[in-house]
Each structure stands twice: as C-alpha cells, then as structure tokens.
C-alpha cells in the first residue's frame, strides 16, 4: 500500500490526472453533479447525505471556505427539493487549528441547516483515533444547544461500547460503522470477526435503546442479522435506517429498498477526493487492482 499512499496523496500528479478512477465513488467535483446524483437516488427510493470532500485543514481561511460550502450545499438542497442532509468532518472545520473555532463553524452550519433544510440533521463523520475524543467533545458541546447533530462511532475501536452507552444516555442519533482508518492494535481490533461481533453488539444496543440509528455497512451478514434482530424484537423499519456509500454494492442497495427498509446513501463530492478515494481503495484489495489497472491502461 505504500505505493498507493504516494500515488493518491492529495495534490499528487496522479490525483490530479486520475479523477476518472474516483468517479465510481465520488459524485463529481461540483454541487450540481452531487445534486444530480441525489435526485437519481431519491427517484430510486433512497435518501442521501452530502459530504463536501476535504479534511485535515490547518488554516482558518480554508475551514471558513468549507463552512461556506456547506451553506451553499444547504441552499442547493433546499432549491432542488431533494431529500438529503449533510455530513461534515471536524478536521475540515478547523479542529486541528482550534477546538472552539471548529465548534463555532459547526454550530453555524447547524443553525443554517435548521433554518433552510427540511431535513436539518448534520452528521459528524468520525476520523482517526488521535481525534476521536476531541470530535466527541465538540459533538457534545454542540448537542447541548442543537439537537440536529449526531456522531459516527466505529466498531473497530475498543472504546466504542462506552461511547455507544453515552450516546444512548444523551438520546443522540448515532451512525455505527466499522471504521476506515489504519489504527494501532492498542486502540482498535484488527481481526474482522471481532470487529463484526462488536458491530452487532453496538448496533443491537442502538436499535433497542438508541435514537434512530444509522446502520452503515455493506456487509450482508451484518445487514441480514440486524434485519432479523429488528423483526424479532418488534422494532419497526421506520425506527432506523441502513446507510451505504455511493457506488458500493448498488444491487444490495436496491434490494434493501425493495424490502421496505429505509436507506440513506453517503454522497461525497468536490475536488479534494484523494483521501476519501484512498480509503475506499485501501479497504479492498480488488479496488487496488482496479485503480492500478485503470492507471496503466490510460
Ligand atoms: P466490509 O469492508 O466487510 O465490506 C462488506 C462488503 O461490501 C465487501 O465484501 C464488498 O463486497 C463491499 N465493499 C465494502 N467496501 C467496499 C469498497 N470500498 N469497494 C467495493 N466494495 C466494497 N468510516 C469511518 O471511519 N468514519 C466515518 O464517518 C464513516 N462513515 C461512513 C458512512 C457510511 C454511510 C458508510 C457505509 C461507511 C462509512 N465509513 C466510515 C466506512 C466504514 O467504516 C467502512 O470502512 C466501510 O463501510 C467498509 O466496511 P463494511 O462494513 O461495509 O464491510
């Protein structure tokens, strides 16, 4: 993966020349292309969450620009009348510059979506473990004044059952996923059976005691187990939603909708797609071959 690390580093020559590879996972570079993708998803019975790509911002100006992009996205969602909310990364809001500054940017987005978007919910994506605690601190501070916000929790982290209990206590909406960053074994489980087991335990706690959880996975074994769990515990399909990533397993996406479950698709867009694309490539060997063969056949 070291080769891919270099190739897909943000702003590398490869990143600039090979957007055509990322198109499978990214809904274009502009808000218009993202809204067009959301319209198609809505027509297929799916809702969406829009993510303006970018992370690890180290300058205040860049964070302010990203915040303003979320205002524009919200205007575009409202103007198009699509069923869609937004997801943000706190490192893109300036969390690495200053926690209070990131909180201010986040709360101004929460105010804006509350005023303009019929679905005003804002999801805080979860990033690598060095920022887990700060992300949750900022979430809790924002949640004290704004209820239209909720965090993502990652089942590979050893700490996550405690964070799930805390979110349940707060009544906050959680998206549960496995986790996409390369974490050390001290903080994260590395074996898939353990990650799956913890995923199921956390998801069941959220389904029975939580507030409208987002079950984010393409893992059919988990999806089937949780459908059965919800059915056996009389949890109706309007009490939770499945969530999947744009471009991944579209046939499973259609199947979920045809069975009467809610499904939200995470739709990333923008020019800073390298980090996101890299994570999608890194989590599956087949994608690495797909990326490399695309590069060498160009
Ligand atoms: P798993 O990786 O086991 O995949 C199950 C099957 O799905 C695979 O066999 C394959 O068929 C298909 N699949 C999965 N990934 C694929 C890929 N990249 N390309 C092609 N096929 C693929 N992570 C995080 O750390 N912070 C976050 O905020 C989020 N947010 C988020 C939102 C949503 C809506 C989803 C669905 C996922 C995230 N993630 C995330 C990513 C998540 O942590 C995880 O890395 C991926 O979802 C892959 O894990 P799965 O549970 O899908 O299973």
């Amino acid at each position: 993966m070291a080769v891919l690390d270099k190739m897909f580093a943000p702003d590398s020559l490869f990143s600039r020349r090979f957007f055509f590879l990322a198109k499978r996972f990214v809904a274009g570079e502009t808000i218009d292309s993202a809204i067009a993708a959301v319209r198609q998803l809505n027509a297929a019975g799916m809702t969406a969450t829009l993510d303006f790509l970018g992370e690890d911002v180290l300058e205040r100006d860049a964070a302010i620009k990203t915040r303003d992009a979320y205002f524009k996205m919200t205007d575009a969602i409202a103007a198009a009348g699509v069923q869609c909310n937004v997801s943000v990364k706190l490192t893109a809001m300036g969390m690495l510059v200053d926690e209070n500054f990131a909180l201010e940017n986040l709360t101004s987005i929460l105010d804006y979506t509350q005023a303009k978007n019929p679905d005003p919910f804002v999801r805080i994506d979860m990033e690598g473990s060095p920022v887990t605690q700060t992300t949750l601190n900022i979430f809790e501070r924002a949640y004290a004044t704004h209820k239209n916000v909720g965090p993502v929790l990652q089942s590979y982290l050893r700490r996550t059952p405690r964070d799930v209990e805390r979110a349940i206590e707060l009544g906050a909406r959680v998206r549960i996923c496995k986790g996409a960053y390369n974490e050390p074994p001290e903080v994260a489980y590395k074996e898939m059976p353990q990650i799956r087991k913890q995923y199921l335990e956390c998801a069941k706690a959220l389904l029975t005691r939580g507030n409208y959880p987002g079950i984010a996975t393409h893992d059919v074994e988990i999806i089937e187990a949780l459908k059965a769990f919800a059915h056996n515990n009389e949890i109706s399909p309007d009490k939770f939603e499945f969530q999947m990533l744009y471009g991944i397993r579209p046939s499973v996406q259609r199947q979920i909708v045809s069975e009467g479950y809610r499904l939200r698709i995470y739709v990333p867009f923008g020019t800073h797609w390298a980090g996101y694309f890299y994570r999608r490539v890194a989590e599956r060997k087949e994608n690495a071959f797909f990326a490399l063969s695309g590069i060498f056949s160009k």
Side-chain angles (χ1 to χ4, degrees):
M1 286 298 164
V3 177
L4 286 173
D5 250 334
K6 286 212 174 101
M7 272 182 189
F8 294 107
D11 300 325
S12 73
L13 182 63
F14 271 104
S15 287
R16 277 181 269 127
R17 282 197 54 204
F18 292 100
F19 180 63
F20 75 96
L21 288 169
K23 270 191 170 163
R24 181 179 155 197
F25 305 112
V26 173
E29 296 192 311
T30 64
I31 183 66
D32 288 346
S33 56
I35 293 287
V38 172
R39 269 192 215 285
Q40 282 189 352
L41 295 167
N42 283 179
M46 304 166 195
T47 57
T49 185
L50 270 190
D51 169 47
F52 181 66
L53 289 164
E55 51 203 272
D56 294 341
V57 159
L58 296 172
E59 280 155 21
R60 281 174 186 259
D61 282 357
I64 299 274
K65 275 194 188 134
T66 305
R67 180 204 65 188
D68 293 350
Y70 273 86
F71 295 161
K72 285 198 188 113
M73 277 156 72
T74 303
D75 289 341
I77 290 168
V82 287
Q83 286 183 288
C84 183
N85 60 32
V86 298
S87 292
V88 301
K89 285 189 174 49
L90 291 185
T91 62
M93 293 288 114
M95 175 168 66
L96 302 177
V97 179
D98 174 36
E99 194 174 318
N100 290 331
F101 171 64
L103 176 67
E104 271 169 38
N105 289 332
L106 173 65
T107 50
S108 60
I109 292 173
L110 295 173
D111 285 332
Y112 203 86
T113 57
Q114 188 77 61
K116 305 258 175 144
N117 190 349
D119 179 355
F121 187 74
V122 176
R123 176 71 66 191
I124 302 175
D125 285 343
M126 187 54 82
E127 303 176 70
S129 62
V131 296
T132 306
Q133 191 55 54
T134 316
T135 302
L136 292 175
N137 291 346
I138 294 177
F139 154 67
E140 285 212 23
R141 290 173 68 194
Y143 189 75
T145 51
H146 296 71
K147 295 295 176 254
N148 57 324
V149 63
V152 175
L153 298 176
Q154 300 153 319
S155 77
Y156 64 12
L157 290 187
R158 294 174 188 273
R159 59 176 284 161
T160 292
R162 292 193 303 281
D163 294 330
V164 164
E165 286 307 315
R166 176 65 183 154
I168 290 172
E169 192 180 313
L170 291 170
R173 276 169 63 174
V174 170
R175 171 197 296 154
I176 181 84
C177 67
K178 284 181 184 162
Y181 296 79
N182 189 11
E183 299 291 358
E186 308 80 70
V187 298
Y189 296 117
K190 304 300 280 182
E191 301 299 326
M192 194 50 92
Q194 255 175 328
I195 297 170
R196 273 212 180 96
K197 179 169 175 286
Q198 182 147 287
Y199 191 109
L200 285 170
E201 287 163 2
C202 293
K204 287 176 182 175
L206 291 165
L207 281 167
T208 44
R209 295 181 288 117
N211 177 10
Y212 195 70
I215 309 293
T217 183
H218 316 91
D219 186 327
V220 172
E221 203 178 305
I222 289 181
I223 292 169
E224 290 307 320
L226 293 176
K227 280 182 198 162
F229 178 81
H231 178 76
N232 295 339
N233 289 277
E234 296 180 355
I235 299 163
S236 69
D238 59 350
K239 296 288 184 236
F240 62 96
E241 63 185 29
F242 287 110
Q243 298 186 350
M244 298 179 76
L245 301 176
Y246 181 76
I248 298 186
R249 297 202 118 172
S251 60
V252 179
Q253 296 179 2
R254 288 191 294 273
Q255 171 80 18
I256 287 174
V257 172
S258 73
E259 291 170 351
Y261 293 99
R262 292 183 177 186
L263 176 66
R264 186 178 300 277
I265 305 297
Y266 183 100
V267 180
F269 77 99
T271 52
H272 287 71
W273 48 267
Y276 179 84
F277 177 57
Y278 171 75
R279 284 194 291 281
R280 300 292 76 81
V281 168
E283 72 197 352
R284 268 200 104 214
K285 269 206 303 297
E286 290 85 339
N287 289 345
F289 292 125
F290 148 79
L292 287 170
S293 62
I295 285 163
F296 292 118
S297 65
K298 188 72 176 158

